[in-house]
Amino acid sequence: MPTALITGITGQDGSYLAELLLEQGYKVIGMVRRTSTINFDRIRHFQEKVEIVQGDLLDQMSLISILQEHRPSEVYNLAAQSFVPTSFTQPVLTGEFTALGVTRVLDAIRIVDSTIRFYQASSSEMFGKVQEVPQRESTPLYPRSPYGVAKVYGHWITVNYRESYNIFACSGILFNHESPRRGLEFVTHKITNAVARIKLGLDSELHLGNLEARRDWGYAPDYVRAMWLMLQQDAPDDYVVATGETHSVQEFVEEAFSFADLDWREFVVQDPKFYRPAEVDLLVGDPSKAGAKLGWEPSVSFRELVRLMVQADLETWERRLKQAAVLSS
């Protein structure tokens, strides 16, 4: 039975990846930080099937100890400070987790067992002020946020350890990928959650920033499959994972409200406080290398993605309303 370590297992991607690896017959070790309020909601339905261990990207000795004790054959580094707006208000902390944290994991692998295969979660935010359209593995990087800058460091330190120490280290340059498990602070889930609440009479407005920003949105379970495929190849490499389509935030809004039979213009308010100091206007990836070498392709369309997220939020809020009614009766 192969063993895999996932940092960030309680996040959207970590939870879907853990499910995939369990289906593939892995023993799954999930690393979490020691805090007073660890949120296990995304993995609660299979939590008894994985082993949760405490570790921290800020503490290299904890990483070394985990590798020594559990001897994983694969490590997926999904932990990070991953919310772009927070990176502007906490740039140093973002750098510690999202940049230097990668070095600590890689160095722990170098010290304990350099045969461990390593996956680094790189990001389309590294392209920032895009230098070509679409963006591919060779596109020059021009990050426009502390988060993007930190991801560039993590990306290149992964390349450096691959070339310097012959570690099987891959970076997946993943474009935006969503699901009902996406954090509510991210604009996609913020939109679909608001649509559900407005439809059920719980809210009357949705405040958003730049509606013209364009993103390449895919479905998170598709993207974690690409992560796993990267570590099954004969040689390590870096891959863009994307749908190859771009849509504006406004298109996402229109589709979400339309699914609930609502006119978005009656509810959406553009609010300057949600604009970024430096905007990323257009992201669209070229996944042809992942298609050719990994045999990977997305399975869920943009429209299907928006609708499944709205439907999930409607079901969540309907269930909560029923539970509240029962408790008050």
Side-chain angles (χ1 to χ4, degrees):
M1 178 185 292
T3 297
L5 170 67
I6 303 173
T7 72
I9 192 172
T10 59
Q12 170 189 253
D13 290 5
S15 65
Y16 283 121
L17 178 62
E19 286 180 301
L20 173 66
L21 294 178
L22 288 170
E23 291 170 3
Q24 297 291 335
Y26 282 70
K27 177 182 180 182
V28 176
I29 311 297
M31 191 185 89
V32 299
R33 296 181 68 213
R34 176 70 181 96
T35 67
S36 58
T37 55
I38 301 173
N39 186 348
F40 290 112
D41 287 351
R42 293 184 181 95
I43 66 170
R44 201 172 302 281
H45 60 290
F46 63 85
Q47 189 175 341
E48 75 284 352
K49 297 179 181 179
V50 302
E51 183 173 351
I52 300 298
V53 297
Q54 291 181 2
D56 199 316
L57 294 183
L58 302 187
D59 178 18
Q60 186 163 1
M61 284 308 301
S62 69
L63 302 173
I64 290 172
S65 296
I66 291 170
L67 296 183
Q68 288 176 332
E69 180 178 354
H70 297 282
R71 295 290 171 174
S73 55
E74 298 174 3
V75 172
Y76 296 84
N77 183 41
L78 309 186
Q81 191 303 100
S82 59
F83 189 45
V84 173
T86 297
S87 78
F88 282 102
T89 58
Q90 297 183 325
V92 175
L93 185 66
T94 298
E96 286 286 353
F97 280 112
T98 308
L100 293 178
V102 186
T103 311
R104 296 186 185 103
V105 179
L106 283 164
D107 217 42
I109 289 172
R110 180 186 65 82
I111 292 167
V112 176
D113 180 1
S114 62
T115 68
I116 293 172
R117 296 191 170 200
F118 175 77
Y119 172 83
Q120 166 58 15
S122 289
S123 168
S124 59
E125 287 287 332
M126 301 189 307
F127 295 120
K129 190 175 182 180
V130 298
Q131 304 299 291
E132 66 175 345
V133 178
Q135 295 87 55
R136 50 184 61 87
E137 292 81 5
S138 59
T139 300
L141 306 177
Y142 195 141
R144 297 268 282 173
S145 66
Y147 169 76
V149 172
K151 280 294 185 182
V152 169
Y153 177 95
H155 179 79
W156 281 112
I157 201 67
T158 299
V159 173
N160 183 261
Y161 269 68
R162 179 168 71 214
E163 295 178 350
S164 300
Y165 303 112
N166 199 33
I167 292 173
F168 194 109
C170 300
S171 282
I173 308 172
L174 271 56
F175 281 65
N176 294 65
H177 46 289
E178 318 298 324
S179 75
R181 297 183 194 174
R182 188 60 140 155
L184 277 171
E185 69 272 23
F186 291 88
V187 68
T188 49
H189 201 183
K190 179 180 178 180
I191 292 167
T192 61
N193 184 67
V195 167
R197 287 179 58 84
I198 290 169
K199 181 67 174 179
L200 297 173
L202 300 172
D203 275 334
S204 60
E205 285 185 342
L206 168 60
H207 287 243
L208 295 171
N210 182 11
L211 297 180
E212 301 307 313
R214 302 185 68 85
R215 295 292 185 269
D216 184 326
W217 277 299
Y219 185 42
D222 286 341
Y223 286 49
V224 302
R225 181 163 45 86
M227 299 176 189
W228 176 72
L229 286 170
M230 289 178 208
L231 297 197
Q232 312 315 306
Q233 304 307 303
D234 292 333
D237 207 344
D238 305 323
Y239 299 87
V240 162
V241 182
T243 69
E245 297 181 6
T246 187
H247 298 272
S248 68
V249 174
Q250 182 170 317
E251 287 178 74
F252 197 105
V253 168
E254 290 173 352
E255 189 63 45
F257 277 89
S258 174
F259 181 61
D261 296 317
L262 298 170
D263 184 347
W264 70 275
R265 288 163 292 195
E266 297 178 10
F267 306 101
V268 173
V269 178
Q270 282 195 272
D271 190 333
K273 77 177 183 180
F274 293 115
Y275 280 76
R276 295 184 185 184
E279 184 57 78
V280 173
D281 297 312
L282 169 64
L283 292 175
V284 56
D286 175 4
S288 57
K289 180 178 175 181
K293 292 195 172 184
L294 305 179
W296 180 88
E297 61 182 21
S299 68
V300 176
S301 71
F302 172 75
R303 189 180 191 196
E304 290 170 333
L305 171 65
V306 178
R307 294 190 168 216
L308 72 85
M309 290 180 68
V310 173
Q311 185 62 45
D313 283 325
L314 281 168
E315 291 171 0
T316 295
W317 283 106
E318 287 170 350
R319 183 170 62 252
R320 289 176 180 174
L321 286 173
K322 288 179 182 178
Q323 290 171 345
V326 170
L327 290 174
S328 63
S329 61

